[in-house]
Amino acid sequence: LELERLGIHESVAQVFPPAELADYLADLPVAVSVIGDDGITACDAVVTLEYREAVLEVDWVHSIQAGVDRFPFDALEDAGVVLTNSTGIHDRTVGETVAGYLLSFSRRLHDHVANQQERRWERPEWDAAFTLPGSTACVVGTGTLGTGVAETLGGLGVDLRGVRRSGDPVPGFGEVYANDRLLEAIADVEFVIVTVPLTDETHHLFDAAAFEAMRDDAYFVNVARGSVVDEPALIDALEADALAGAALDVFEEEPLPEDSPLWGMDEVIVSPHCAAYTRDYFRDTGDIVRENVDRLETGEEFHNRVV
Ligand code: NDP
């Protein structure tokens, strides 16, 4: 693989200005430039948020996201295109976002913000607020996101339980369950937090049976991908008070349609797929790209290679 031209596709603008990343990588021994769709095939490598068919003609594609469920693995492989992703950088950002959701629920911060919009001085019911220490969160997916969530919540006194395919122990988690024991793992905890990749196996992993297994005073958090959850089943559970509430960063359809009932529920926090946002994002992703350009020169295997 000869690397002469690296393009930063304009779709990364959804997360940071493309020119910031181009500047950050300007000292690489390759030509780096910001490109639109028509510039893709002139490059050897492309850094992008969105998939375009034209990337089948380049040698290497880097996704600025960890989730690469929108990329066609078979087509890339057939075309001999290497795909790398950005897993490994979202531990602290997503961990802090999830801590923020839990603190909102426990300290009722979302109620205060809603009341403030109405200039309403209204204290919570005497038994609505609580504290986090002594509660348990079950984190489904114990990779970068899951361990970042565990580290942040652990610091707030939350007990952590994990779910992964192997069930092998992971630092930061008191207990780890294999995924065939999912319903058991989520049955008696106050918080269920989803941090798995979207795959054939995890599609609609959280369905009516999963919500039925959870406590009716438990909160559900999804920072993974919308389709890991059967969204109508979640809405039914929330409407039936079979759950206390939910914090959702990702949805089956994004942007979340204006007529979704999730927008109007008091105990639901909606964020627009930004749990991992940080002003350092272009640096974090740039460091992975730089590492791989270095590895290309020394002939080492790519870091974070997916295809
Ligand atoms: P990692 O690859 O680091 O971790 C994924 C984890 O999921 C692993 O611990 C894996 O463990 C586990 N896992 C995989 N399949 C299953 C399964 N069927 N059942 C249970 N556990 C499973 O990925 P990241 O943590 O970096 O990212 C995870 C996902 O989060 C991404 O794919 C993306 O979709 C989403 N994401 C969302 C963001 C946002 O902005 N909201 C930001 C970044 C990521 P094991 O191999 O043992 O099963």
Side-chain angles (χ1 to χ4, degrees):
L1 202 159
E2 273 297 311
L3 192 57
E4 278 170 20
R5 285 208 59 193
L6 184 135
I8 314 286
H9 189 254
E10 60 193 5
S11 61
V12 306
Q14 293 175 45
V15 185
F16 52 76
E20 293 283 346
L21 180 56
D23 282 354
Y24 188 65
L25 297 176
D27 59 333
L28 286 178
V30 294
V32 178
S33 56
V34 176
I35 55 162
D37 285 350
D38 53 0
I40 292 174
T41 54
C43 296
D44 309 303
V46 173
V47 177
T48 187
L49 176 81
E50 290 176 358
Y51 173 73
R52 295 285 186 274
E53 213 176 307
V55 302
L56 295 176
E57 290 180 44
V58 309
D59 295 323
W60 165 35
V61 182
H62 180 75
S63 158
I64 68 157
Q65 295 185 302
V68 281
D69 43 272
R70 285 179 300 178
F71 287 80
F73 292 2
D74 291 345
L76 290 162
E77 191 167 353
D78 290 348
V81 182
V82 170
L83 173 66
T84 54
N85 74 3
S86 294
T87 191
I89 65 173
H90 310 107
D91 47 352
R92 193 68 206 175
T93 48
V94 176
E96 289 193 9
T97 300
V98 171
Y101 296 143
L102 267 57
L103 289 166
S104 286
F105 291 131
S106 66
R107 307 313 305 150
R108 312 310 300 161
L109 304 181
H110 59 306
D111 287 343
H112 307 333
V113 173
N115 286 332
Q116 185 179 353
Q117 307 302 312
E118 310 291 328
R119 301 179 169 261
R120 197 166 54 215
W121 181 271
E122 190 179 299
R123 292 184 175 136
E125 292 293 322
W126 72 272
D127 60 352
F130 55 98
T131 57
L132 294 176
S135 62
T136 302
C138 179
V139 181
V140 182
T142 55
T144 299
L145 261 60
T147 52
V149 165
E151 193 178 304
T152 316
L153 294 184
L156 291 168
V158 178
D159 289 331
L160 277 310
R161 176 185 295 178
V163 177
R164 62 185 298 194
R165 283 169 299 188
S166 70
D168 290 345
V170 183
F173 293 92
E175 272 174 295
V176 177
Y177 287 62
N179 63 344
D180 60 358
R181 293 173 66 200
L182 174 72
L183 296 187
E184 192 187 329
I186 62 175
D188 56 350
V189 300
E190 284 87 354
F191 302 99
V192 173
I193 300 160
V194 188
T195 53
V196 279
L198 173 62
T199 61
D200 290 343
E201 201 182 8
T202 63
H203 183 264
H204 286 193
L205 183 64
F206 284 85
D207 55 6
F211 298 123
E212 204 170 303
M214 286 173 59
R215 284 166 53 157
D216 59 10
D217 62 347
Y219 287 92
F220 178 75
V221 176
N222 186 9
V223 286
R225 281 290 179 271
S227 294
V228 174
V229 174
D230 177 348
E231 211 168 274
L234 172 63
I235 292 168
D236 286 348
L238 289 163
E239 283 176 341
D241 289 329
L243 294 175
L248 307 169
D249 188 53
V250 287
F251 303 89
E252 292 215 77
E253 185 183 343
E254 296 181 9
L256 181 64
E258 218 182 301
D259 61 359
S260 169
L262 293 168
W263 285 113
M265 294 183 180
D266 292 342
E267 285 305 292
V268 172
I269 298 175
V270 168
S271 55
H273 198 154
C274 59
Y277 270 42
T278 165
R279 60 188 175 198
D280 292 321
Y281 203 109
F282 73 93
R283 291 191 191 89
D284 296 343
T285 243
D287 289 342
I288 299 175
V289 174
R290 180 185 303 280
E291 165 79 23
N292 276 329
V293 172
D294 289 350
R295 287 186 181 206
L296 263 173
E297 281 182 5
T298 56
E300 280 173 82
E301 178 56 77
F302 279 93
H303 176 61
N304 277 2
R305 181 168 181 173
V306 182
V307 173

